[in-house]
Amino acid sequence: MTLTPPTTMSALTAEQSAVLIPIEHYFLGHARDDAAHMRQAFLPSAHIESMRDGVFTSWPLDVYCERFKGVPAADEATRRRTVDWIDVAGLSACARVTLVHGPVTFTDYFVLLKTADGWRIANKAFHGQPG
């Protein structure tokens, strides 16, 4: 799996490059359907939130990880994941990524924090749009 860096920036700073590490684990988690990569990407206290059919949904990380069973999607070879932008301010950052998974395009917004163990996703909010 290849991580596509942000196309809106000509060169990444060292911190922006470091922010890509948990995002790469997140992408690998999707590509391999692997909760272990998700646990490396997120802080244990993270929540994954969205509006689904008009209802607010907030999953703690453990519930989110239950969705990953270790069986990659049949169409994995055609799926695309890109980093749209990264903004870093001190020990906080945010990033937007786009995931094209079959007929649905997801836009994910991450809030990240730099911990003693490096950058981790603190929370995720997302929207899925049928193509």
Side-chain angles (χ1 to χ4, degrees):
M1 204 224 45
T2 330
L3 179 66
T4 304
T7 56
T8 57
M9 294 183 266
S10 57
L12 296 177
T13 67
E15 285 302 320
Q16 288 170 323
S17 293
V19 167
L20 287 175
I21 294 169
I23 295 172
E24 184 168 323
H25 280 292
Y26 174 76
F27 285 175
L28 286 168
H30 276 290
R32 298 178 180 166
D33 199 42
D34 185 350
H37 279 290
M38 293 305 185
R39 292 189 185 285
Q40 289 180 282
F42 287 91
L43 288 171
S45 59
H47 276 77
I48 292 77
E49 300 177 324
S50 69
M51 295 297 296
R52 298 173 71 90
D53 299 320
V55 177
F56 174 69
T57 302
S58 181
W59 298 322
L61 183 61
D62 286 340
V63 171
Y64 181 62
C65 285
E66 288 172 4
R67 301 173 60 85
F68 299 92
K69 307 292 187 196
V71 181
D75 67 347
E76 177 54 38
T78 63
R79 292 181 171 202
R80 294 187 332 262
R81 299 171 186 95
T82 57
V83 178
D84 302 319
W85 52 258
I86 297 170
D87 184 31
V88 177
L91 301 177
S92 299
C94 58
R96 184 180 75 192
V97 303
T98 300
L99 301 90
V100 180
H101 287 185
V104 180
T105 298
F106 293 94
T107 302
D108 293 354
Y109 292 92
F110 298 135
V111 174
L112 300 101
L113 295 172
K114 187 174 185 179
T115 70
D117 297 324
W119 288 97
R120 303 280 293 279
I121 301 168
N123 286 298
K124 167 188 155 175
F126 73 96
H127 174 74
Q129 182 69 40

